[in-house]
Structures are given as C-alpha cells and as structure tokens.
Amino acid sequence: MEKRGQYDTNPLDPEYARQTERAWGRSTEEELPHAPVAEGAEAPTRRYVEFPGDPPRYQAAPPPLATAPVNGINLSASRTRTVAGLGIAENIAVTLPYIPFFIGAALAAIELFLTPRSETRVRANAAQALSLHLAIMGGGLLFRFAHLMAEITLGGLSSALLSAGWVLFQIVAFIFLISLMVKAWNGNAIDLAPLAQVSRRIERAIEPRRL
C-alpha cells in the first residue's frame, strides 16, 4: 500500500472532513448511534446541530395581518351585490344618503325604513349620513340665529361677517358631502368617528318595515 505524506490529502475524503472538524473544535452534524447497516438498507439518520450565531435553517412565514372593521362593521361597499329591500347595487345604496341638503337626509331615512337589519353596511352608512345631515343643519341654524341676533343688537360689520360665515359653512359642507359621495361610489369605507354614537342610536331607533 502506498504511503501518504503530510500534505498528500484528498478534501473529498470523509475521514479528512472529520479530522478537519475535530481540529476546529466543532461539528456541523452528528450521527446518531446505530447498528451496522445491512446492504440495501437506509442510511442512518443525521442530526444537524445549531451553533450560536448560525443563521436558522428554516424560517416560518409571518402570519397574515388581520384587518379590523370600522366600529364592528365593514363599511366598504360592493358594485355587484343587490341590497335587499331596495333592489339596487350596494355602492349606489350607500352613495345616495350623502347627497347634499335635504335630499340626502330624506333618502337616508327611507333606506333605514326599507332595508332589513341584515343589511348592516347599508344601514350603517345611511344612519351615519343622516347624523351628518342633522349636524350640518344644526350648524346652519346656529349661524342664522347668531346672524339674526347680531343684526338686531350690533348690526353693521358683525352681521355681515356672520352672514359670510354662514355662506362659507354651506359651501364647505357641500364640498365635503360631494367628496363622501365619490368615496362611497368607489366602494371605499367612510368612518366619521365623532358621529359614531349618534349614528348607532339613529340606526337602532328607525325600525325597518316588516315584510
């Protein structure tokens, strides 16, 4: 048998790999104790050992992020689903109550009367729009009352400023309602948090018709 020198080594030789691992003081894999393997049998199981600082061999995928609905109700609307009691598409039903002025308020009340409680998305939007219309009407009445009182007591510049403020308030309210109509038509959720409590009370107060 040919004698090997100090540098006559084969890196592919398993014995050379084990000697190298022992020289470095660590092993990347350990063989479990086992009996001699017969010809044709499966190879012994190998257990890989993790060392501090080594990257993990397997990484679990992060769990999907859950999205919570607004106030317990998903307010986004569908363009294809038909609303029970109205017979129109859902995105149309949630858009109509946001029409400016008294028309939207009347349509919101009609939808609350016609749609069953199972139509939670439509009823929530209708109640929210109705509460918004009531808030706008209340703000307009306050401006008009303040303008009247200023005209009686102060007159002149104060009355003119309150009159201009009332006109500006109406313009801002009109633009805001139009923006909500566009948002509802596109199927996006509308959440008016300051009106949440009032909206829930209105929705519970208006009973749907019995079919």
Side-chain angles (χ1 to χ4, degrees), residues 12-87:
L12 301 179
D13 187 1
E15 184 63 28
Y16 171 76
R18 283 190 287 270
Q19 291 176 1
T20 304
E21 291 168 354
R22 285 195 294 270
W24 282 95
R26 66 184 244 174
S27 174
T28 56
E29 62 181 25
E30 295 178 356
E31 290 189 0
L32 298 177
H34 59 277
V37 181
E39 184 178 356
E42 295 183 357
T45 303
R46 292 184 176 184
R47 183 177 72 247
Y48 289 90
V49 181
E50 300 283 349
F51 295 95
D54 289 349
R57 297 179 180 273
Y58 304 99
Q59 293 183 349
L65 297 177
T67 55
V70 178
N71 293 328
I73 301 174
N74 183 6
L75 297 180
S76 57
S78 170
R79 290 175 178 247
T80 57
R81 181 178 171 276
T82 302
V83 179
L86 297 177

Side-chain angles (χ1 to χ4, degrees), residues 4 8 11 15 17 24 35 46 60 66 76-77 80 109 134-135 141 147 149 151-152 166 178 180 182 190 211:
R4 295 186 178 182
D8 187 11
E15 184 63 28
W24 282 95
R46 292 184 176 184
S76 57
T80 57
L134 293 176
L141 288 176
H147 170 260
M149 294 301 297
E151 190 174 22
I152 295 174
W166 178 78
I178 292 297
L180 293 182
V182 174
I190 300 174
L211 299 177

